[in-house]
């Protein structure tokens, strides 16, 4: 029976098994902070380019804070209440991953994650993301490089990897890639059981997660089609995975963690009221503004508010007004009748 339970990832011990996945454009540290308030046990940064990091470290506040680009620097920083977080890197070569990883020491991540699942063209065209699954041997060398960097600079933070089931339906090789990654030192494998060709279409095949659990001696985390607390419970039950990783199901809904915890422990949960969701979105806006400035935050939060109000009665009308908001004051004015 599915349970909320502790999990150990290498030397890292976590009190629970509800994780936030890395999602480009959404899992900024402000949002991760809200997820931790709601019960997330581990969260990951948006994917960070290893090449960009080691070639331009000053953009990330690593070679003089005055030169840092706020949006870039805050990709890497831990949220103030973020007890456990992982930094996810993407790259195509062991050298780039190693050079980037050793620069992460000032941020003290609890986990160093390798992206082997991103399907977007600008990532895969350079051989990174899910393109790594086309060359399992190189994937293994990348994990080895990350492990070496962790031992040298990151206080042995466990190295983990997030992957897909394969490049396409003719090359389902998650089992081989996972085996090689673990042999290279990966302490956890997260599987999103769709191929790169599927992108986010179709249905994720949870049977592949169940299969991988039987093959590995490290924790397997499941991802894909987790939108409700019942989905999390069902994935844990059906696959035997050690943890679940919410991605799109958490966007605009940090409350998914509280709800999933309630479902796993008590067999029931209550949805967050409209007013609570809007209040969380406004807090997200203010946290983000503190990191990247009010103007940038207000532009970024337009898509975030779409996520916070998705599926809510009256949400469409509110979104029509919010797309024109340019200041925090205007956001508060538009939402005044909803909180």
């Amino acid at each position: 029976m599915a349970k909320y339970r502790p999990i150990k990832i290498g030397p890292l011990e976590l009190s629970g098994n509800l994780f936030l996945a890395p999602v480009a454009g959404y899992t900024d540290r402000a949002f991760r902070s809200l997820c931790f308030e709601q019960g997330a046990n581990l969260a990951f940064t948006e994917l960070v380019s290893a090449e960009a990091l080691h070639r331009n470290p000053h953009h990330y506040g690593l070679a003089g804070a005055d030169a840092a680009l706020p949006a870039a620097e805050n990709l890497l920083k831990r949220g103030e209440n973020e007890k456990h977080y992982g930094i996810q890197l993407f790259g195509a070569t062991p050298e780039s991953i190693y050079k980037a990883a050793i620069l992460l020491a000032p941020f003290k991540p609890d986990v160093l994650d390798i992206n082997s699942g991103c399907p977007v063209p600008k990532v895969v065209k350079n051989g990174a993301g899910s393109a790594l699954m086309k060359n399992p041997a190189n994937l293994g060398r990348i994990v080895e490089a990350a492990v070496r960097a962790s031992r040298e600079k990151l206080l042995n933070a466990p190295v983990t990897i997030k992957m897909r089931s394969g490049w396409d339906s003719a090359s389902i090789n998650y089992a081989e890639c996972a085996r090689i990654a673990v042999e290279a030192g990966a302490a956890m494998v997260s599987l999103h059981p769709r191929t790169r060709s599927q992108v986010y279409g179709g249905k994720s095949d949870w049977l592949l997660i169940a299969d991988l659990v039987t093959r590995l001696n490290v924790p397997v985390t499941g991802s894909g089609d987790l939108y409700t607390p019942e989905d999390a419970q069902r994935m844990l039950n059906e696959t035997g995975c050690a943890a679940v990783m919410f991605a799109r199901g958490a966007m605009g809904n940090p409350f998914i963690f509280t709800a999933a915890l309630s479902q796993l422990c008590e067999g029931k949960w209550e949805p967050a009221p409209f007013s609570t969701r809007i209040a969380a979105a406004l807090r997200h806006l203010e946290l983000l503004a503190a990191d990247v400035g009010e103007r940038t935050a207000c532009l970024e939060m337009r898509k975030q508010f779409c996520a916070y109000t998705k599926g809510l009665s009256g949400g469409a009308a509110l979104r029509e007004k919010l797309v024109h908001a340019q200041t925090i004051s205007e956001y508060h004015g538009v939402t005044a009748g909803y909180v």
Side-chain angles (χ1 to χ4, degrees):
M1 190 67 176
K3 291 183 179 180
Y4 178 75
R5 62 181 182 82
I7 181 174
K8 188 172 183 181
I9 307 169
L12 177 64
E13 297 185 10
L14 302 174
S15 61
N17 55 351
L18 302 175
F19 301 168
L20 175 66
V23 180
Y26 284 91
T27 55
D28 51 57
R29 77 178 195 135
F31 182 67
R32 299 197 313 269
S33 292
L34 293 178
C35 290
F36 263 83
E37 288 180 2
Q38 295 297 324
N41 303 111
L42 177 65
F44 291 86
T45 65
E46 302 174 56
L47 70 170
V48 177
S49 168
E51 284 286 343
L53 178 57
H54 81 78
R55 291 183 184 277
N56 300 290
H58 59 283
H59 285 175
Y60 298 84
L62 291 168
D66 290 343
L69 301 177
E73 182 180 13
N74 283 292
L75 279 176
L76 299 173
K77 291 169 67 175
R78 184 192 297 262
E80 291 186 5
N81 68 334
E82 209 169 359
K83 186 175 181 182
H84 298 296
Y85 91 125
I87 294 177
Q88 188 188 69
L89 294 177
F90 73 92
T93 68
E95 294 77 16
S96 66
I97 292 293
Y98 175 80
K99 290 177 181 179
I102 61 174
L103 293 173
L104 298 177
F107 298 98
K108 299 180 180 179
D110 299 279
V111 174
L112 175 59
D113 191 64
I114 302 301
N115 183 305
S116 183
C118 181
V120 302
K122 69 178 181 180
V123 172
V124 300
K125 73 178 182 180
N126 294 316
S130 54
L132 290 179
M133 301 192 72
K134 299 171 74 173
N135 188 343
N138 186 50
L139 184 152
R141 289 190 290 269
I142 282 175
V143 172
E144 287 176 348
V147 170
R148 180 158 51 91
S150 179
R151 287 172 179 165
E152 293 175 5
K153 295 291 186 178
L154 302 181
L155 302 176
N156 287 314
V159 172
T160 62
I161 187 166
K162 189 170 189 287
M163 63 177 59
R164 289 194 167 227
S165 55
W167 180 256
D168 55 29
S169 60
S171 56
I172 304 294
N173 63 344
Y174 67 93
E176 178 190 11
C177 289
R179 174 185 60 80
I180 289 173
V182 171
E183 290 175 353
M188 181 180 77
V189 175
S190 301
L191 179 62
H192 179 167
R194 283 185 172 90
T195 64
R196 186 269 170 177
S197 298
Q198 286 180 281
V199 190
Y200 298 105
K203 187 176 181 181
S204 61
D205 187 353
W206 291 3
L207 290 176
L208 304 186
I209 300 173
D211 175 64
L212 195 60
V213 168
T214 68
R215 294 174 180 268
L216 301 182
N217 60 0
V218 300
V220 172
T221 295
S223 183
D225 295 339
L226 292 171
Y227 297 105
T228 68
E230 289 85 357
D231 290 336
Q233 185 172 52
R234 187 166 58 85
M235 178 180 279
L236 289 166
N237 277 333
E238 293 181 6
T239 71
C241 62
V244 293
M245 185 177 285
F246 292 101
R248 288 178 291 167
M251 300 306 96
N253 185 23
F255 313 102
I256 191 72
F257 294 98
T258 299
L261 175 61
S262 181
Q263 179 65 30
L264 292 175
C265 295
E266 302 174 17
K268 60 182 180 179
W269 63 282
E270 294 290 334
F274 197 146
S275 59
T276 301
R277 295 182 69 146
I278 297 303
L282 290 171
R283 184 144 178 275
H284 185 169
L285 169 61
E286 293 183 356
L287 289 170
L288 186 59
D291 280 345
V292 301
E294 182 174 5
R295 177 175 174 76
T296 299
C298 286
L299 291 174
E300 283 291 313
M301 283 301 297
R302 289 178 180 177
K303 71 173 185 290
Q304 297 278 13
F305 263 92
C306 286
Y308 277 101
T309 58
K310 183 178 180 180
L312 298 178
S313 176
L318 179 58
R319 287 193 293 274
E320 287 182 8
K321 299 176 183 177
L322 286 171
V323 294
H324 302 292
Q326 300 185 46
T327 67
I328 291 176
S329 177
E330 288 178 4
Y331 270 95
H332 278 277
V334 170
T335 60
Y338 295 87
V339 293

